[in-house]
Each structure stands twice: as C-alpha cells, then as structure tokens.
Amino acid sequence: MKKFGLLFIILLLILTACGTSENAENQEATEKNETTEESTNAAKEEREITEEDEKFTKMLLDKDYDGVIAESVSLKTDSQKNFYYLASALRKYEEIQTKDYVDATTSDINYKDMVTDYNVVAQYLGRASYVPEELAEDIDRVKSEAEEKAAEYQAELDKQAENQ
C-alpha cells in the first residue's frame, strides 16, 4: 500500500511539473495573441446565434458543465469549440473552489497545483472566441480572478524557491 501511495505521489508530481512548464509556454503564446484580441472581439460581435449556441448557453446557465462537455467534445464546429472551452473552464473553476490544496502529511500548501489549475481556467477562457452575453460578466470575472490568483500563487512559489 505504501508503494502504491509513493508511486501515485511521484506520478502526480511528474504530471504537475510537465503541466507547469507547458502552461508557461502557453502563457507566453497567450501574451503574443493579446495583440489579436481586438480582431477577435470584433468577430464575437458579428457572430450569428445558432440553436446550438442557445442550447449550450442554457446548459451553462443551468451549470450543466458536464453535459456541455459531453455534447461538444467532438469540437466539429466553432460553437462546439467555444462552449467546450467555456464549460471546461467553469467546471475546473468550480472544482478549484472545493479542492483542498493542503498536503495532509506535511500541512504545506501546494502552490504549484494552484498555479496550474488557475492557469488552465484562464487558458480555456482565453481560447473561447465567443461568449454569450448572458455569461459575459461571469466569464470576465472568472478569467480575471484566475489570472490574478495564478500570478499571486506563482509569486509565492517563486518566493519559496528563493528561500530554499
């Protein structure tokens, strides 16, 4: 049992480390894409609302994130892509709110996982090229909070690395 637990922790650390370096690379790419954000915003305003958009919007308003993900996972249309990203981000954000980031054995806070999780939320929301008006305010709030928290916890993580 101890071997399984140790193996699980090592695997988790490896996956977290790989995800963090990938997130850093994606964050740099996101910064480059900010210059094209204005053109993306213009495209958002010109988009026609489809039945699929309305259906997914209603599902998101009802907080049926898993349902949206299941129906849009094929990513065949732009609508499916957008709503897949939105639902995935909101589901992850909800998960973060209930997740315990304190290591039970050492009582240390796991800032690395916190940074990774908040970066995932921000990146998913950054990929969505269309946000329904009904959700725009909430999505903006979640995105800005995720970016702020990721930066805050990354600073704490950097400070801990300096102290070691």
Side-chain angles (χ1 to χ4, degrees):
M1 186 67 176
K2 287 185 179 182
K3 290 180 182 180
F4 176 76
L6 183 60
L7 179 64
F8 180 77
I9 291 173
I10 291 171
L11 181 62
L12 182 64
L13 290 174
I14 291 171
L15 291 174
T16 303
C18 292
T20 303
S21 63
E22 180 183 7
N23 287 336
E25 292 169 4
N26 287 339
Q27 189 173 20
E28 290 173 8
T30 302
E31 291 171 2
K32 291 177 185 176
N33 290 335
E34 286 178 359
T35 57
T36 62
E37 188 172 314
E38 292 176 11
S39 62
T40 304
N41 288 337
K44 287 180 188 177
E45 295 171 8
E46 297 172 11
R47 180 182 170 138
E48 289 186 33
I49 307 301
T50 65
E51 285 183 29
E52 189 175 44
D53 291 338
E54 291 175 2
K55 178 177 89 170
F56 288 147
T57 300
K58 182 177 179 343
M59 290 172 78
L60 286 179
L61 288 171
D62 294 339
K63 298 187 182 221
D64 183 13
Y65 306 133
D66 291 328
V68 173
I69 291 169
E71 290 188 34
S72 62
V73 74
S74 66
L75 305 176
K76 290 180 182 176
T77 65
D78 286 339
S79 180
Q80 288 178 350
K81 289 177 187 174
N82 287 318
F83 283 97
Y84 177 83
Y85 295 143
L86 292 173
S88 296
L90 293 171
R91 182 176 71 175
K92 185 67 171 178
Y93 181 75
E94 215 173 60
E95 176 188 316
I96 290 170
Q97 303 308 310
T98 59
K99 189 173 179 181
D100 186 17
Y101 290 98
V102 178
D103 185 343
T105 57
T106 64
S107 297
D108 290 339
I109 298 174
N110 189 343
Y111 290 107
K112 191 178 283 189
D113 284 352
M114 294 170 89
V115 169
T116 301
D117 287 349
Y118 279 111
N119 278 333
V120 166
V121 171
Q123 288 175 12
Y124 271 135
L125 293 177
R127 290 180 184 168
S129 61
Y130 168 72
V131 177
E133 288 181 33
E134 301 94 324
L135 298 169
E137 189 176 308
D138 289 335
I139 295 296
D140 289 341
R141 178 185 54 78
V142 168
K143 185 176 180 182
S144 64
E145 181 181 330
E147 290 170 343
E148 289 170 7
K149 295 278 188 177
E152 175 186 338
Y153 295 134
Q154 183 62 51
E156 184 64 33
L157 195 58
D158 294 342
K159 188 166 62 170
Q160 284 182 354
E162 288 176 8
N163 291 337
Q164 291 181 351

